[in-house]
Amino acid sequence: MFLFRAFNSFRNGRKSSKSKLPPGPRRLPILGNLLDLGDKSHRTSCSVTEPSWKLSEVRASRFNDFGLSYIPVSPLWRTLRKVCVIHLFSALKLDANQYLRREKIHELIGNVRKSSLKGEAINVGQAAFEATLNLLSNTIFSMDLVDPNSSHAQEFRKTVWDINHEAGLPNLADYFPLLRKFDPQGIRRRMTVYFDKLLTLFGNMFDERLESRKSKNSTASNDVLDTLIDIIEGGIEELDRNQIIYLLLVLFVAGTDTTSNTTEWAMAELLRNPQVLFKAKKEMEQTIGKGKPIEESDINRLPYLQAIVKETFRMHPTVPLLIPRRAGSDVDLCGFKVPEGSQMLVNVWAIGRDPSIWENPDSFMPERFLGSNIDVKGTDFGLIPFGAGRRICPGLPLGNRMLHLILGSLINCFDWKLEDGISPNKIDMEENFGLTVKKVKPLRAIPIVV
Ligand code: HEM
């Protein structure tokens, strides 16, 4: 746990001067430990200092007022979380609408097969990104928003891609709040354009669905949008159109890059560790049959695939630093005093690589999870890729299903060869730090139909 305490400890300085504050590198006046941060803050954030951790781009389109991931704990936040956890992503609901995702997995396999027949390499992260967007858009709207034949769909794909790209850029205004008003790199301005585009699109889809539900011939669907309209019309929760449209935006922004980056890291590790890939293929061949796409109901029967996903989360948590927490009062923690008002960042990346928790932390060894009860649901603090506590990721059940579906299908339906004869130990694993951790060099590999 790392404390962001430049201003806070300054403010509380006298009160806590006799207490033992948590250790950290020496801080410079005003700059604190900013210069220690570098461009990979999850690797370097050993008690770095920063006055406020409100990312300036999330102020675009008032995302910080309505976006579930940025609003503080409040009645609106509680309602939105309840809607996600109970109504949208419960096991019952996801089982009921899994048919919306099944067809998309078949399409992914079909597209990869086309590249395979041409002997072409695919950009694994991009294929996973498009598959995730389609899985999400079908779960949410029962329709494809990524259709190569539709220009609207192409624009949607590009907009979500651009949002994730901008969110990944280091923003000077986050480090120097005085610059915030000036938006020196134009990130907030561009984000406003992207957010507004999606808010308009989702608003139109919301209105069209309301209209179509009035028609006698309309059939109820089990998707997220219908569920949300049922909630409003049935007076089950107090939510309005605006809040729902922002929620839809948050679900797309929070659900895409996280899932597709994790898939790309998992594939990169599998190609670097052919013996692991071989074992995963064997498990699937014996459990569901060689070359078959996997179903959501198969996931529980694939412990080695689950172990691969956990090991990927341990080494490459796509959200390296959790949403900052603020100490509500002075807290004693492991003999140190955390002063009231301190902002705390939990460095999930560092926990996953901590040699006092994990044996050989830099080796990819899914076997460590076989026969172990360690899970990603927020109770095993050594492995918290979805966070923990009351802000734990509400999309965990859907994210986990999508990840196993995409990864399992890529493993079971294809053999893989690296492009340009690159040998497995030469795969570039460098990380690019933003809100999520991405591979700097996209993984490109040639699929071969099994
Ligand atoms: C591999 C996939 C995913 C990973 C690793 C992931 C990870 C995370 C993490 C670490 C957080 C912050 C939790 C904390 O601070 O304790 C978070 C928050 C959130 N995630 Fe996910 N996520 C994933 C997929 C999804 C999906 C598919 C959705 C929805 C469709 C989603 C929606 C959200 C939302 C709305 C929040 C904000 C919750 C709040 O602030 O109360 N995530 N996620």
Side-chain angles (χ1 to χ4, degrees):
M1 182 179 297
F2 306 110
L3 301 183
F4 278 70
R5 56 185 157 81
F7 279 18
N8 293 316
S9 58
F10 178 68
R11 204 182 59 204
N12 297 337
R14 233 161 260 161
K15 198 168 136 198
S16 56
S17 58
K18 290 196 197 100
S19 322
K20 200 169 150 199
L21 293 172
R26 261 168 61 91
R27 285 174 287 148
L28 297 171
I30 301 179
L31 286 180
N33 298 103
L34 185 60
L35 301 179
D36 295 332
L37 198 60
D39 64 346
K40 294 185 172 43
S41 39
H42 58 299
R43 284 186 182 258
T44 52
S45 63
C46 296
S47 284
V48 288
T49 305
E50 201 237 8
S52 162
W53 190 254
K54 291 226 184 308
L55 297 174
S56 39
E57 59 265 27
V58 302
R59 288 160 184 256
S61 306
R62 303 194 61 201
F63 197 57
N64 55 325
D65 291 337
F66 298 107
L68 170 58
S69 39
Y70 289 98
I71 54 175
V73 171
S74 57
L76 174 61
W77 175 83
R78 278 194 197 91
T79 304
L80 291 170
R81 283 213 53 115
K82 196 157 111 199
V83 165
C84 286
V85 173
I86 300 177
H87 299 287
L88 305 186
F89 302 132
S90 67
L92 205 66
K93 196 75 199 176
L94 291 178
D95 283 348
N97 62 24
Q98 60 180 301
Y99 68 95
L100 293 169
R101 292 180 289 280
R102 183 179 296 127
E103 200 190 319
K104 298 302 118 192
I105 287 295
H106 293 187
E107 271 176 33
L108 165 71
I109 296 169
N111 290 338
V112 177
R113 192 168 282 144
K114 278 186 206 148
S115 299
S116 158
L117 295 177
K118 291 190 224 153
E120 270 175 10
I122 64 161
N123 177 328
V124 175
Q126 194 172 328
F129 177 81
E130 291 182 3
T132 307
L133 260 191
N134 259 344
L135 288 171
L136 266 181
S137 67
N138 276 275
T139 306
I140 294 174
F141 298 118
S142 304
M143 63 158 60
D144 281 357
L145 288 178
V146 186
D147 173 354
N149 303 317
S150 143
S151 57
H152 283 314
Q154 284 309 302
E155 197 179 342
F156 171 76
R157 190 195 74 84
K158 188 170 175 317
T159 309
V160 179
W161 181 271
D162 287 340
I163 289 175
N164 283 307
H165 172 74
E166 297 281 352
L169 297 176
N171 190 346
L172 279 176
D174 293 333
Y175 299 123
F176 299 100
L178 285 178
L179 295 181
R180 203 169 267 161
K181 229 165 71 191
F182 306 106
D183 186 23
Q185 293 146 278
I187 295 180
R188 192 171 67 235
R189 188 172 37 78
R190 289 192 297 278
M191 280 296 218
T192 303
V193 173
Y194 303 144
F195 283 164
D196 286 352
K197 246 188 217 171
L198 292 187
L199 289 169
T200 307
L201 173 72
F202 296 158
N204 291 340
M205 292 174 88
F206 181 91
D207 297 340
E208 279 166 22
R209 181 68 65 89
L210 268 187
E211 225 16 68
S212 76
R213 280 163 57 113
K214 289 183 192 150
S215 139
K216 279 200 192 107
N217 302 329
S218 83
T219 46
S221 94
N222 244 327
D223 65 14
V224 164
L225 186 54
D226 254 4
T227 309
L228 289 171
I229 295 178
D230 287 342
I231 288 174
I232 297 190
E233 289 186 338
I236 300 169
E237 300 292 345
E238 257 187 51
L239 280 180
D240 60 30
R241 176 183 181 277
N242 194 38
Q243 289 159 343
I244 297 262
I245 291 168
Y246 272 90
L247 175 61
L248 297 173
L249 176 62
V250 169
L251 298 184
F252 274 100
V253 174
T256 39
D257 240 17
T258 43
T259 309
S260 61
N261 286 345
T262 311
T263 311
E264 186 179 22
W265 283 118
M267 284 296 287
E269 288 292 358
L270 290 174
L271 291 175
R272 252 159 54 106
N273 296 277
Q275 75 292 355
V276 177
L277 179 57
F278 179 78
K279 272 176 86 170
K281 280 175 160 298
K282 266 269 149 314
E283 178 186 70
M284 279 187 239
E285 187 179 330
Q286 285 161 2
T287 315
I288 55 178
K290 193 171 177 168
K292 289 197 180 151
I294 90 165
E295 295 280 333
E296 294 182 21
S297 52
D298 293 326
I299 298 172
N300 275 343
R301 300 190 293 138
L302 297 166
Y304 197 63
L305 179 65
Q306 290 179 44
I308 289 173
V309 170
K310 285 181 191 168
E311 184 67 341
T312 307
F313 276 138
R314 181 187 69 77
M315 289 186 76
H316 308 285
T318 181
V319 183
L321 303 172
L322 296 185
I323 297 171
R325 270 59 167 179
R326 185 183 287 275
S329 56
D330 286 355
V331 179
D332 279 326
L333 188 72
C334 308
F336 295 107
K337 177 169 179 170
V338 178
E340 179 188 347
S342 300
Q343 297 232 41
M344 276 159 281
L345 285 192
V346 177
N347 188 333
V348 180
W349 187 93
I351 295 172
R353 303 286 183 126
D354 185 339
S356 71
I357 306 177
W358 304 103
E359 205 174 307
N360 296 328
D362 292 328
S363 302
F364 189 78
M365 300 186 329
E367 287 71 15
R368 70 174 89 234
F369 291 108
L370 291 178
S372 124
N373 291 329
I374 296 179
D375 212 329
V376 291
K377 294 187 183 149
T379 45
D380 296 300
F381 295 133
L383 189 70
I384 47 170
F386 291 95
R390 60 183 170 179
R391 286 209 93 121
I392 190 172
C393 173
L396 186 160
L398 177 61
N400 224 13
R401 283 183 193 221
M402 294 196 295
L403 195 50
H404 286 82
L405 279 182
I406 301 175
L407 187 62
S409 303
L410 293 180
I411 295 173
N412 197 36
C413 299
F414 303 95
D415 289 329
W416 293 90
K417 208 169 75 183
L418 286 162
E419 195 180 37
D420 297 333
I422 296 173
S423 62
N425 57 359
K426 289 277 172 351
I427 297 179
D428 187 328
M429 300 295 274
E430 200 187 332
E431 301 159 330
N432 187 2
F433 175 75
L435 278 184
T436 57
V437 181
K438 254 189 177 33
K439 263 182 108 285
V440 170
K441 195 147 186 254
L443 176 68
R444 296 186 58 86
I446 304 169
I448 302 156
V449 179
V450 294

